[in-house]
């Protein structure tokens, strides 16, 4: 059995992990971190402590009406991407532990093309 990072849980919601193939499970947000637990395989889980989160990247479409997915770029282990049924509520809970200036909107498809043609050598998924 896996030991949770959190001592207090703020929210549990159905969600998906987009690390390789899509895994379906539960997303848990608590006082010490963000956790994902797979429904099928108990050994398949992701635990991200809040102190390891560098930036939260949010994909926003249709002028903010739809948030298809969001990701956590960690200081050491790269980016983890998730989606859930209630992304706004999830991000509000995340905002309690991550400073708002560390939550950014991802680039749109056209922004990526503009940067490619202008030759800017910046991170390809942050504004």
């Amino acid at each position: 059995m896996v030991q949770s990072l959190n001592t207090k849980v703020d929210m549990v919601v159905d969600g998906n992990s987009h690390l390789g193939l899509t895994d379906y499970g539960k997303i848990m947000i608590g006082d010490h971190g963000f956790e994902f637990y797979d429904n099928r395989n108990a050994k398949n889980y992701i635990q991200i402590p809040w102190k390891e989160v560098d930036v939260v990247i949010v994909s926003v479409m249709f002028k903010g009406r739809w948030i298809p997915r969001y990701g956590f770029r960690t200081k050491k282990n790269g980016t983890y991407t998730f989606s859930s049924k209630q992304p706004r509520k999830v991000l509000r809970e995340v905002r309690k532990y991550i400073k708002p200036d560390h939550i950014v909107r991802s680039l749109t498809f056209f922004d990526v093309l503009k940067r490619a043609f202008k030759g800017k050598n910046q991170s390809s998924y942050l504004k």
Side-chain angles (χ1 to χ4, degrees):
M1 190 71 185
V2 179
Q3 182 68 30
S4 176
L5 289 175
N6 299 311
T7 55
K8 183 186 126 209
V9 176
D10 295 334
M11 180 179 195
V12 176
V13 66
D14 289 333
N16 302 330
S17 167
H18 301 285
L19 188 64
L21 296 175
T22 301
D23 294 320
Y24 304 96
K26 299 282 184 195
I27 290 175
M28 184 167 44
I29 299 169
D31 56 347
H32 293 290
F34 181 93
E35 299 177 321
F36 173 81
Y37 296 101
D38 194 342
N39 283 342
R40 292 186 215 154
N41 186 359
K43 294 179 182 176
N44 188 11
Y45 63 92
I46 299 170
Q47 295 178 328
I48 306 171
W50 296 126
K51 62 184 177 185
E52 283 296 316
V53 175
D54 186 27
V55 177
V56 179
I57 304 162
V58 182
S59 176
V60 178
M61 295 187 159
F62 304 116
K63 296 181 182 179
R65 292 191 182 106
W66 183 40
I67 300 173
R69 59 183 63 189
Y70 44 89
F72 295 88
R73 188 172 71 191
T74 61
K75 295 175 182 171
K76 296 179 184 175
N77 297 325
T79 303
Y80 298 90
T81 307
F82 302 94
S83 60
S84 62
K85 291 197 178 223
Q86 301 168 333
R88 288 184 196 283
K89 288 184 181 180
V90 170
L91 292 169
R92 282 188 194 115
E93 292 296 325
V94 167
R95 195 171 52 194
K96 291 179 183 177
Y97 303 103
I98 303 296
K99 294 178 185 174
D101 59 335
H102 288 274
I103 299 175
V104 296
R105 191 181 275 208
S106 67
L107 292 175
T108 65
F109 174 73
F110 296 110
D111 291 336
V112 173
L113 287 179
K114 281 186 219 173
R115 283 193 178 190
F117 288 118
K118 287 183 180 178
K120 288 187 178 179
N121 190 12
Q122 295 181 0
S123 180
S124 62
Y125 53 94
L126 299 177
K127 277 189 179 179

